[in-house]
Amino acid sequence: MPAHSRPQLEFVACPHPEGEHCMAFWRWGDTQAAHVVVCVHGLTRQGRDFDRLAQALVAQSPHPVQVICPDVVGRGRSDWLADPAGYQMAQYAADMLALLAQVQKQMGPENPLQTLDWVGTSMGGLIGMVLAGQAGLPLPVPIRRLVLNDVGPAIVWGSVQRMQTYVGQYGQYRDLDEAAAALWALSTGFGPVPADVWREMSAHMLRPGTDGAVTLHYDPAIGVPVRALTPEAAAAGEALLWALYDQIQAKTLLIRGQDSDLLTPETATAMTERGPRAQLDTWPGFGHAPTLTGDAQIAVVAKLLLGD
């Protein structure tokens, strides 16, 4: 990747009940651009998943734009929490508010953030719903456009059970190629991804292990709250998420992988009929969740975010 097309790695201090932690984020484009797009990854992923989308948005935008891709706490370059109970939606949303406050402060009062858009894959989409669905939150400006990548308020319990079997259950790999193969075995729902792109994405999913090996980038403890989830708690969370969804004012695009095991056709249809009445785009050949790395995928997102 040419040096000029690399993101800046930055950090923000975020409070939690026992003190504070640092959340890493990757910034692309013009750091003073009044149009900010935040892209947030799924449960076990990290911010570099959006490299290709971010580069395309910066290159294609008719006006200056900055694309910010956080590593949610416990992932990537961000700190790990001492208490696994902190790996919850409320903490993630609070961290994003701290991030946006820092971005606004860096831009200065004479150059305020004017347009805020959100792209969220799976967990990142849930965080977006939490922020877009509460009018009283201290966002610099309301979220204008919201892309929900294969996620909705209703979560299929079977897909939760699948996550409970693998989140945090990882070891070490000899090298990048072995790790990439292991990751792909869990990620076939991402749809068609060229081998070179998958290897590039997988490189950002690793950290050094022992004896020259590599291991995954995230805190295994993020799986603790996932495994503690019960059908009753999931049902209560679903009711809350629908209430938030119904309050969203942002123009919303819902992307659904046609073979998704997490977002059902019934939930997707309901999302077009209530709340922001999302525009639904169903993608054949994809499950949970599209990577947003191919040109056709990127074009769908860019049309919403860069259009009038």
Side-chain angles (χ1 to χ4, degrees):
M1 188 183 297
H4 70 272
S5 62
R6 296 180 188 276
Q8 295 182 41
L9 174 60
E10 302 181 40
F11 296 89
V12 57
C14 303
H16 62 245
E18 294 78 36
E20 67 177 30
H21 56 271
C22 281
M23 181 173 70
F25 61 99
W26 304 89
R27 194 196 311 241
W28 299 83
D30 183 347
T31 61
Q32 294 298 301
H35 183 186
V36 173
V37 179
V38 180
C39 299
V40 185
H41 58 78
L43 181 65
T44 63
R45 305 294 301 181
Q46 40 64 50
R48 297 299 298 272
D49 274 3
F50 295 103
D51 280 10
R52 289 173 180 257
L53 175 62
Q55 289 178 78
L57 291 174
V58 170
Q60 296 173 21
S61 178
H63 54 258
V65 64
Q66 53 179 313
V67 183
I68 293 175
C69 308
D71 289 344
V72 175
V73 64
R75 289 88 165 166
R77 302 291 186 89
S78 293
D79 286 350
W80 293 6
L81 297 177
D83 182 1
Y87 292 126
Q88 303 276 4
M89 199 57 57
Q91 183 66 63
Y92 301 156
D95 289 358
M96 299 304 159
L97 292 174
L99 165 63
L100 288 166
Q102 177 168 301
V103 169
Q104 177 64 91
K105 184 176 181 181
Q106 289 170 337
M107 293 172 66
E110 70 288 345
N111 182 38
L113 192 161
Q114 296 178 9
T115 304
L116 176 62
D117 295 330
W118 190 279
V119 178
T121 294
S122 196
M123 178 188 74
L126 296 179
I127 299 170
M129 281 191 272
V130 169
L131 296 180
Q134 299 182 74
L137 293 180
L139 289 164
V141 293
I143 294 173
R144 180 191 66 136
R145 292 181 181 171
L146 174 65
V147 178
L148 300 175
N149 184 16
D150 208 68
V151 69
I155 305 298
V156 177
W157 179 246
S159 67
V160 174
Q161 290 178 302
R162 182 174 64 86
M163 288 183 229
Q164 290 174 328
T165 66
Y166 75 82
V167 176
Q169 310 294 320
Y170 65 78
Q172 297 199 110
Y173 308 96
R174 287 192 305 270
D175 53 25
L176 170 57
D177 290 326
E178 184 178 71
L183 287 167
W184 183 249
L186 292 171
S187 308
T188 53
F190 287 1
V193 181
D196 61 325
V197 176
W198 184 250
R199 194 174 192 278
E200 175 187 304
M201 292 178 69
S202 298
H204 299 300
M205 294 286 291
L206 304 176
R207 58 188 172 89
T210 57
D211 299 324
V214 293
T215 190
L216 296 187
H217 64 97
Y218 68 84
D219 183 356
I222 70 170
V224 173
V226 176
R227 286 188 290 277
L229 195 62
T230 64
E232 295 75 20
E238 180 176 319
L240 175 59
L241 283 169
W242 273 118
L244 291 169
Y245 182 78
D246 286 340
Q247 298 303 311
I248 292 173
Q249 300 295 311
K251 184 174 182 179
T252 301
L253 169 66
L254 175 62
I255 296 168
R256 179 177 182 270
Q258 188 170 323
D259 302 322
S260 176
D261 68 343
L262 187 136
L263 178 61
T264 66
E266 294 76 17
T267 296
T269 298
M271 293 171 71
T272 69
E273 297 170 345
R274 57 190 284 187
R277 299 181 181 273
Q279 169 196 335
L280 174 61
D281 204 340
T282 301
W283 294 359
F286 292 86
H288 182 76
T291 57
L292 307 182
T293 53
D295 290 346
Q297 300 174 55
I298 289 170
V300 171
V301 177
K303 182 178 178 182
L304 178 76
L305 301 185
L306 304 181
D308 296 331

